[in-house]
Structure formats: C-alpha cells, structure tokens
Amino acid sequence: MNKRKSGILLHVTSLPGTPGIGTLGESAYKFADWLKKANQSYWQVLPLGPTGYGDSPYQSFSTFAGNPLLIDFDDLVKRGWASKDDVLPPDYIKSQGNVDFGSVVWWKMPVLAKCAEYFLKKCSEDDRVKYEAFKNDQSSWLNNYADYTSIKNFYDAKAKNEGVEGVASMWNRWWPRELAEHDASAVSRWDAEHTDDVEQIKVIQFFFDQQWTSLKKYVNSLGIKIIGDIPIFVAGDSADVWANQKFFQMDSETLLQKTCAGVPPDYFSATGQLWGNPLYDWDAMKKDNYSWWVDRIKNMLRLVDVIRIDHFRGFEAYWQIPYGAPNAIKGEWIKGPGKDLFDEIKKRLGTLPIIAEDLGVITPEVEELRDGCGFPGMKILQFAFNDEPWTEESEENKDLPGNYKTPNVIVYTGTHDNDTSAGFFESASQQLKENVATYFELDKDLSAKELTQILIEKAFSSKADTAVIPLQDVFALGSEARMNTPSTTGSNWTWRMQNEMLCDTKGASCLKELSQRFKRNS
C-alpha cells in the first residue's frame, strides 16, 4: 500500500454558506466531495472543542466536548429535532464573509437550547434510545461538562451583573467553595435543582456527536481520513481542570494554579510566551496510570483517524512559570513524563496514529522521544527561508526538503499560525525571495502567487510521506485569509472560504495532477 499521501488543512468554522459560521452541514459534505475530486487522502481540522475567550480552538472549555457553534440547524430540522421557525437567522447574521463570533454566540446558543427542548419533547422513540446510549457511553466526561457549563453560565451571568470580569470571575475565584472544589454532594444538589438546564446541555452535545459521526462516516467512505488536533495543555477555565484538580498543579487551599505553561525567551520574544495554562501533576497522573490521558486519546480516536498533538516537546520537558509572573522569563525546564506516558496509552489502546508537532527549537532528547514513539514530526517550508544572504549554513536548515532525514514526516507549506504563503511572499524581503529562487533554481522575479505554487509543488515532490496544504494556499490567497497571528487578538480564527471555491475545478485538478505526478494517490 502506498504510504505517500496528501491532504488539505481547513477548519470547520471556515466552511462557507451557512449562517454566521461554518458548520457540520451540507457545505462540509461538499468539501469532502471536493477533496475526493482533488485526489486527497486527508482533511485536517483544528481542535473541535467549545471555544472561550479569544475564540481560539486551542483554549477550550472542554477537551472532550464538541463545539456547539459547529452544529448545523438545517440538519436538525431534517432529522425532526428542531422547528424550522426557531432556527431562522436574524438579519445581522450573514452567510458570507468572516465569522463574527460575538454575534454568532449571541444568536446561536439560545437557539440551540430551544432546539434541545424541542428534541426532548418531540423526538422519536428510536432517537431517545440513541440519546440515552450516548449519555451512558460518554458519561465519564459528559456529566462533568454539563454540570460545569450549567454552573458557569449561572455564575458568569451573576459576575457580569455585579461587575466582576475576566480572571476574577473564573470558577476557582467566583463560585461557591463547595462547587469550586467539585464536591460530589454539592454537584448532585446542583443537578437536582437544574435538571432541565443540565439535560439541554447534554442534548446539544448529542447533536454535535450525531452530526460529526455522520460527517466522518461520509468522509471515510470517500477514502479520506480526518486529522484532528489537540493542544498538549488545557485551559484553566475548563471542565477538565475543574473536575480533575488532583491531576494539575493546583493549590488545594486557594484552588489557584501554582504554576503555568509557556515557552522561554527566544529569538522571537525577549520575554518568552506566557500561555497561562495549568500544568499537569505528572506524578499524580502516573499513579493513576495516566487514565485521564488515556481517556483523552481514546475520545479523540473516536472522533478522528489521526491525532496531531500541539507542543509535543512538552512531554519531554516543559517550561514551568510561577503563577502570577508578569512574563515567561523566570521559568525553568522540568522533565515531562516522556515515553512512559505513550507506552501506557499504547498498552491500553493499541497503535497510536499520532503526529508530533515538533516545531521551534527542538533538542536531541525531544527527537529521541518522537522517534522512540515512532511518531512523524512536522516540516514547514516557510521556515526554510529567512532574510540572511544564502550560505552553506543556509543549506543545513532542517525544513528544506533536501534535509529530511526520514520520510516519516508531514510537510506543510504553512500552518494555521503562519501567514498564507502568498501573504508571506508579498511581505518578504527581496533577499528571502532570492534565497527561495537560489535553493529551488528558479527565476528570481516570480510573483507571490507563483512562489506559492512552487512551495506546494515542492511539498508534494518531497520525500515526506505526507504533504498537507492549507486551503488558502491552494487558491493563493493573501494575508487577509490568515487564520491566526500568535500573541494577538481581534480577527483571529475568523476567515471563511467563499462558496465559489467549493465549485472550483481548477484547484482540485491541480492537486489531483500533483498527487498523481508525485505518486501521492489515495
């Protein structure tokens, strides 16, 4: 069987045609058809969890739950789970243009609650059986998520009314102590007093699960696999931390974090990056046979075919920063669980189809861990070039296609954190463009669009087993189509493709030709 494959990176929110935001509806199926026409083997998406502050899929209220905003209303109506009149979008919700998350949340979340109420009253007996089975099968995370969300919604509203905002309104600062501690009796009382609310939250997760399962089944039937994505760390404001405080570096008296995650100062930032996520208590996790991580990977493998783990180097060693520090300077490297974690997960779950995000400054120890686990790493063609004059040292850049030591890698033109390749070249110095031309033996006056096409071709022609191209690069879109600019807020995660792209045959034909020419056949 041919191991050489290729695929496209596009998050669900970027799909076109549906009110406000991309969903798991008709456009998702049309995109899968487009991938088939383009002879692609993979569809890579970003994390699928419910998003919080900043709308980042990498800061989720749960690593197990699905994002309610991705639920498609037309599909709910077709299944008989919602009234058509209830799901009509208001005038301020548009089906074209970028996502306005604030407006989408304001409109969509109350409508989803109404749909859940409709389902509970009018669903068929068969659908009720499916729902009860879902609740039973996913109870290990679903109950905690539903309770957390119900309590959070109540106390977030209370905090807003009393003028308490931001970190001060989080569960470990604002909720009543017994609820913040996840006291079983207190949570049970909340359940009993808020039955309708908790049940609706579970129904909404059932909606997501059924739509995602149907979509994945269709995608797989076309011979296409889905690559999912999980961050190594989870958000402090999450059901994950609230319900599993013993597995995180938390102060049992104050319920506050002792430490937080980030990366040290480097070429890009003199103060490093202060992410703020709670860090794991790996000793406590090891004593529990890493059950939380086993459950996390098991759940992801239920949803996707391959898992990309963000910031893989943190399993070898992670940058530990004191909680409350103003920046990431005064941190220290602490050894992670290493291969012991993955050996335990593999023992419990079998073969692990995992991609290790190993970008940035990677030590030999991290490479040893990645290779010891047998996981492919990542190569980014944009990272292969800089503004310095081309030298023999430049030829040693690990992201250059000629320097891949093994085919067991995934090559990308860029990722969700990069500018689009056309945007990258539009803003690049003349020296950088000349470096690209020198390495690939090209004309030095190529346009940004032509250079983008070159990068795609070089990704396909490389020895890497897998090549993944962001959809923006297939259409040579500029910086206006960038998905995320790290360490900024405002317009990230909002880009959506245009309807016309799903009807495009030229882009699909070009990808098909490249996959055939370089033997990346499905």
Side-chain angles (χ1 to χ4, degrees):
M1 183 176 178
N2 181 26
K3 289 185 66 177
R4 288 175 62 78
K5 306 290 184 182
S6 59
I8 297 296
L9 168 60
L10 179 78
H11 194 38
V12 179
T13 57
S14 296
L15 289 165
T18 45
I21 191 170
T23 71
L24 305 175
E26 184 179 357
S27 289
Y29 289 80
K30 288 183 177 179
F31 181 66
D33 291 337
W34 187 89
L35 289 173
K36 180 66 175 178
K37 292 175 184 175
N39 204 48
Q40 299 306 293
S41 303
Y42 291 110
W43 177 2
Q44 181 171 333
V45 298
L46 302 183
L48 296 166
T51 53
Y53 175 77
D55 310 305
S56 170
Y58 293 88
Q59 292 288 342
S60 174
F61 294 131
S62 169
T63 192
F64 293 87
N67 188 347
L69 300 181
L70 304 184
I71 294 171
D72 187 76
F73 284 146
D74 288 343
D75 180 79
L76 294 185
V77 173
K78 289 178 182 177
R79 292 174 186 257
W81 296 352
S83 166
K84 187 174 183 179
D85 292 338
D86 288 341
V87 302
L88 293 174
D91 291 340
Y92 63 84
I93 296 293
K94 308 298 181 184
S95 295
Q96 295 287 336
N98 287 0
V99 181
D100 180 345
F101 282 99
S103 296
V104 171
V105 170
W106 180 263
W107 162 61
K108 201 161 187 177
M109 293 308 294
V111 175
L112 281 167
K114 188 176 291 187
C115 294
E117 184 179 3
Y118 184 98
F119 172 87
L120 289 168
K121 289 179 179 178
K122 299 189 177 184
C123 70
S124 68
E125 185 176 340
D126 285 347
D127 288 337
R128 173 67 73 167
V129 170
K130 290 179 182 178
Y131 172 55
E132 294 298 331
F134 168 75
K135 286 198 298 181
N136 181 66
D137 293 345
Q138 306 306 321
S139 59
S140 61
W141 65 266
L142 182 62
N143 293 339
N144 282 324
Y145 171 75
D147 289 329
Y148 168 83
T149 304
S150 175
I151 301 168
K152 177 178 172 59
N153 288 342
F154 179 87
Y155 283 103
D156 277 1
K158 181 178 171 66
K160 185 176 181 180
N161 289 336
E162 299 187 17
V164 179
E165 298 179 355
V167 173
S169 68
M170 275 182 56
W171 61 269
N172 53 357
R173 294 172 182 260
W174 182 243
W175 295 7
R177 177 76 185 199
E178 64 273 16
L179 288 175
E181 288 180 331
H182 194 256
D183 176 77
S185 297
V187 174
S188 293
R189 285 195 301 272
W190 184 276
D191 260 343
E193 295 168 3
H194 300 82
T195 303
D196 291 346
D197 183 43
V198 171
E199 196 69 17
Q200 286 176 9
I201 293 165
K202 292 180 180 180
V203 171
I204 291 171
Q205 284 302 303
F206 175 69
F207 289 164
F208 176 91
D209 182 82
Q210 292 297 292
Q211 290 190 354
W212 178 263
T213 300
S214 296
L215 176 62
K216 182 179 183 294
K217 182 178 180 181
Y218 183 76
V219 171
N220 289 163
S221 75
L222 299 178
I224 300 167
K225 293 184 177 181
I226 297 177
I227 301 175
D229 195 330
I230 59 173
I232 182 176
F233 301 119
V234 296
D237 190 5
S238 69
D240 307 307
V241 179
W242 172 67
N244 299 280
Q245 295 170 43
K246 65 181 179 180
F247 293 142
F248 294 85
Q249 295 183 28
M250 308 290 289
D251 188 310
S252 60
E253 293 297 321
T254 65
L255 303 186
L256 299 179
Q257 297 171 220
K258 296 178 181 178
T259 57
C260 57
V263 290
D266 57 17
Y267 173 82
F268 300 101
S269 173
T271 59
Q273 295 181 39
L274 180 62
W275 296 338
N277 305 71
L279 291 170
Y280 300 110
D281 183 335
W282 286 115
D283 289 338
M285 285 194 157
K286 181 179 176 63
K287 289 177 183 177
D288 193 56
N289 296 317
Y290 302 109
S291 61
W292 185 87
W293 265 98
V294 171
D295 289 344
R296 189 184 191 193
I297 297 298
K298 181 180 180 180
N299 184 67
M300 276 300 294
L301 290 176
R302 181 177 69 87
L303 298 173
V304 303
D305 302 295
V306 181
I307 302 171
R308 172 193 179 273
I309 301 183
D310 198 50
H311 196 61
F312 179 81
R313 70 106 54 245
F315 293 111
E316 193 282 320
Y318 54 91
W319 189 246
Q320 178 175 287
I321 306 163
Y323 184 69
N327 54 50
I329 292 176
K330 293 185 177 180
E332 59 178 330
W333 286 111
I334 305 294
K335 281 293 182 181
K339 195 167 178 288
D340 187 50
L341 168 66
F342 296 103
D343 285 345
E344 180 63 29
I345 299 173
K346 187 175 182 179
K347 183 174 74 174
R348 305 267 290 276
L349 301 181
T351 302
L352 300 178
I354 286 175
I355 298 170
E357 185 274 285
D358 56 348
L359 306 179
V361 180
I362 299 301
T363 65
E365 291 81 4
V366 178
E367 294 178 345
E368 182 180 349
L369 173 61
R370 178 200 63 205
D371 296 344
C373 292
F375 301 153
M378 293 173 56
K379 303 295 182 183
I380 311 299
L381 291 183
Q382 286 187 26
F383 291 168
F385 304 98
N386 57 35
D387 297 326
E388 301 298 321
W390 197 257
T391 64
E392 288 186 7
E393 185 177 342
S394 304
E395 296 277 358
E396 298 175 4
N397 186 301
K398 65 183 180 64
D399 288 289
L400 289 170
N403 293 338
Y404 302 167
K405 297 178 181 179
T406 170
N408 191 33
V409 296
I410 319 293
V411 59
Y412 298 76
T413 50
T415 74
H416 62 274
D417 283 334
N418 294 94
D419 198 349
T420 66
S421 290
F424 172 75
F425 287 121
E426 286 285 2
S427 61
S429 66
Q430 187 59 36
Q431 179 65 63
L432 187 148
K433 294 176 185 176
E434 289 182 6
N435 290 345
V436 176
T438 297
Y439 181 76
F440 291 128
E441 299 180 345
L442 305 170
D443 187 316
K444 294 186 177 182
D445 295 319
L446 293 177
S447 67
K449 183 175 182 178
E450 290 169 322
L451 287 168
T452 296
Q453 184 58 39
I454 291 294
L455 279 198
I456 295 174
E457 182 174 326
K458 297 304 180 182
F460 271 77
S461 67
S462 74
K463 71 187 292 184
D465 281 338
T466 306
V468 175
I469 312 298
L471 187 74
Q472 294 95 315
D473 285 358
V474 175
F475 292 96
L477 301 179
S479 297
E480 74 283 354
R482 182 171 184 163
M483 196 61 172
N484 180 52
T485 303
S487 301
T488 68
T489 59
S491 61
N492 292 329
W493 318 110
T494 64
W495 177 76
R496 294 183 77 183
M497 64 187 293
Q498 297 175 354
N499 276 317
E500 298 75 41
M501 294 179 184
L502 284 179
C503 304
D504 172 82
T505 57
K506 184 178 180 182
S509 296
C510 288
L511 289 172
K512 182 176 182 179
E513 188 276 328
L514 286 172
S515 68
Q516 291 175 338
R517 192 192 337 161
F518 296 111
K519 296 181 173 55
R520 296 188 180 276
N521 297 318
S522 299

